[in-house]
Amino acid sequence: MLALAQTVAATDALPIGELLRREGLITQADLDKALALQGQMPGRLGAILVRLGALSEEALLPCLSSQTGLALAMHADLPERLDDILETVRLSGLPIEWCLDHALVMWEAPDGVIHCACRDPLVAHLHETLNAAFPQREIRWLFIRSADLERLLKVLERTDFSDKSDISHLRELAEEAPVVELVNNTLAQAIDERASDVHVEPEESVFHIRFRIDGILHARASYPRERYDAIASRIKLVSGMDIAERRLPQDGRISMRAAGEEVDIRVSAVPGVHGESIVMRLLLKERADLALDRLGLEADHLELFTQWIKEPHGIVLVTGPTGSGKSTTLYAALSAMNDRSQKIITVEDPVEYQLPGVTQIQAHADIGYTFARALRSILRQDPDVVMIGEIRDIETAEIAVQAALTGHLVLSTLHTNDAISAFARLIDLGVEPFLVASSVRLVQAQRLVRRLCPHCAQPAPPPVSLDELLQPLQAVLAGHGPADWREPRGCPQCRGTGYQGRMGIYEFVVATPDLQQGISQRLPESELLEIARRAGYRSLREDGLLKAWGGHTSIDEVLRVTGLGRTD
């Protein structure tokens, strides 16, 4: 009881809410809201703040540990044999059901100390019960992450999952506090780690959670398959999906606050052999990088792009595969153009970010409201600028061309591997070559490369076999100063990856008169590319090498993204 008294005394030293506020982890508004709710609902203030989405469990637990003097259970502290938990519970004489009711696990450490972890290790009657169960033993209470606690509790669970097909039972499971906390904590952790996507992937006996960070998937947690149905049902329930439907793909959306951020989450569920694969795309409502000068454009590319989006008419295309940052570029362009002197209308599927002063329309292909149908309507709305989420069929392409030829500036995306292929893609869709040549003004292709971590990037030896690749860049490099080749090392700030954040690499093709003539004559892409080179074109790989020259990324990263192996 002395340890508990010392702990209680420690908690009285500085309230957790004030500690979190002083550390900058929450705002005063968050604290006031949580304190108001605490009077209406049971629970610790920290747990309420996590439920509100004001901060993540990862940020809360170290502060609680510092405040109370109780250690935070790290991975190395957890029992190597999960059966040790069951053996220790049996040794205590406490019913397993009691441990489950209090979400408490215990195990004997190699030094003979009984370690106890639960959701709230400060509850006095739990200390009293365990002291009575182990009267001659030292007991050490620990804070523990929800994900670790759920995994350890699985050893004690006796829940019968035979009625998984019962939808009412699934709904009840989805509303249970441990399930709600696990989903909320997963999303908060993903936001803390700057993840763009969360993947929930079931297998025969387990399911995995992976985060896509800077374009690369990283494993984050694995749980027993028995818990998957409750987790999947929770995600489907809050995203507006039908939890009874497991045979067909579904899409949903969640708007919530997690880790102190307002976030929109696009959810996709696709049936698989072992259950539905769920992917959640995280879209922060406030994006600091929705500005052209933050995308990684070199000065000449930035000037070129800014010039063409100020033109009164024509088509500006942004091309690249899925996940290459096309939407971010278009939103940044719209933000730059949005001075309230023009009518800007977008047609998107889905609307990813809401822009003040811009009329944004959500397409619904399932009810027949396609891009083409929406475009016909908005052209009667007297727009100056039209943004189309994607040109994917001849009908949409033809309306976009006609809009460009009748005095509108049209921004859109197209799925091609490089900029020069965009002209052939439009022609393949069925647009006449002369219409393509006369309407398209600029095509930009892009990819995303990871930025080197500023905390641990180290100088790299100059590449010895890139002279030929760098030759076309000599004129550009002359104004960039000496080379600053760098390579990743890895540190705690970047979680050992050596990279932190991403930036774009770009190529631009301007529809010069010579190029327009070549398009009208259906010249092969190789000849069109030569025409573009004479006008100052540089490829994605060359622009990436320019970024590596400046020390922003590594050569290996550029070659990985542009599809080349090492050259040294």
Side-chain angles (χ1 to χ4, degrees), residues 14-59:
L14 185 65
I16 185 62
E18 184 64 23
L19 178 61
L20 293 169
R21 191 189 65 79
R22 290 189 182 183
E23 292 291 328
L25 296 173
I26 62 172
T27 65
Q28 185 63 48
D30 292 328
L31 180 56
D32 292 342
K33 185 175 181 181
L35 288 171
L37 283 175
Q38 194 177 31
Q40 306 171 20
M41 56 190 296
R44 300 281 187 184
L45 184 64
I48 293 174
L49 286 165
V50 172
R51 292 289 294 271
L52 287 175
L55 80 165
S56 68
E57 183 187 56
E58 291 289 329

Side-chain angles (χ1 to χ4, degrees), residues 217-295:
L217 278 172
H218 300 270
R220 280 296 172 264
S222 296
Y223 301 99
R225 177 61 177 79
E226 289 84 352
R227 300 203 61 80
Y228 171 78
D229 291 304
I231 301 302
S233 296
R234 176 65 188 173
I235 295 171
K236 292 167 69 175
L237 187 66
V238 297
S239 62
M241 296 185 190
D242 181 0
I243 64 173
E245 180 56 72
R246 305 179 189 177
R247 299 170 299 173
L248 295 174
Q250 295 189 75
D251 294 314
R253 190 169 194 137
I254 308 170
S255 290
M256 64 181 296
R257 193 162 187 259
E261 300 278 0
E262 296 293 334
V263 59
D264 280 331
I265 304 171
R266 286 162 39 194
V267 185
S268 171
V270 176
V273 175
H274 300 295
E276 293 167 296
S277 171
I278 297 177
V279 177
M280 294 177 280
R281 169 66 59 89
L282 308 181
L283 303 167
L284 297 181
K285 289 186 177 180
E286 295 185 8
R287 287 282 300 270
D289 58 351
L290 290 182
L292 291 177
D293 58 358
R294 297 177 63 93
L295 300 181

Side-chain angles (χ1 to χ4, degrees), residues 182-351:
L182 178 58
V183 173
N184 288 351
N185 285 334
T186 297
L187 293 174
Q189 182 184 358
I191 293 170
D192 279 346
E193 296 188 28
R194 303 176 296 101
S196 60
D197 302 86
V198 176
H199 293 244
V200 184
E201 303 163 326
E203 295 184 359
E204 185 173 2
S205 58
V206 298
F207 73 93
H208 305 287
I209 295 178
R210 296 196 290 171
F211 295 169
R212 187 177 294 280
I213 303 172
D214 296 334
I216 305 296
L217 278 172
H218 300 270
R220 280 296 172 264
S222 296
Y223 301 99
R225 177 61 177 79
E226 289 84 352
R227 300 203 61 80
Y228 171 78
D229 291 304
I231 301 302
S233 296
R234 176 65 188 173
I235 295 171
K236 292 167 69 175
L237 187 66
V238 297
S239 62
M241 296 185 190
D242 181 0
I243 64 173
E245 180 56 72
R246 305 179 189 177
R247 299 170 299 173
L248 295 174
Q250 295 189 75
D251 294 314
R253 190 169 194 137
I254 308 170
S255 290
M256 64 181 296
R257 193 162 187 259
E261 300 278 0
E262 296 293 334
V263 59
D264 280 331
I265 304 171
R266 286 162 39 194
V267 185
S268 171
V270 176
V273 175
H274 300 295
E276 293 167 296
S277 171
I278 297 177
V279 177
M280 294 177 280
R281 169 66 59 89
L282 308 181
L283 303 167
L284 297 181
K285 289 186 177 180
E286 295 185 8
R287 287 282 300 270
D289 58 351
L290 290 182
L292 291 177
D293 58 358
R294 297 177 63 93
L295 300 181
L297 290 160
E298 295 294 330
D300 56 339
H301 280 171
L302 179 59
E303 181 181 0
L304 183 66
F305 192 61
T306 304
Q307 169 193 336
W308 281 104
I309 63 174
K310 291 181 179 178
E311 289 295 309
H313 55 81
I315 297 177
V316 174
L317 292 174
V318 178
T319 73
T322 301
S324 58
K326 301 186 298 296
S327 295
T328 299
T329 298
L330 287 181
Y331 280 119
L334 293 178
S335 297
M337 301 160 62
N338 187 19
D339 59 2
R340 302 301 179 102
S341 67
Q342 301 183 94
K343 176 73 170 182
I344 303 175
I345 303 181
T346 73
V347 185
E348 307 169 61
D349 185 19
V351 175

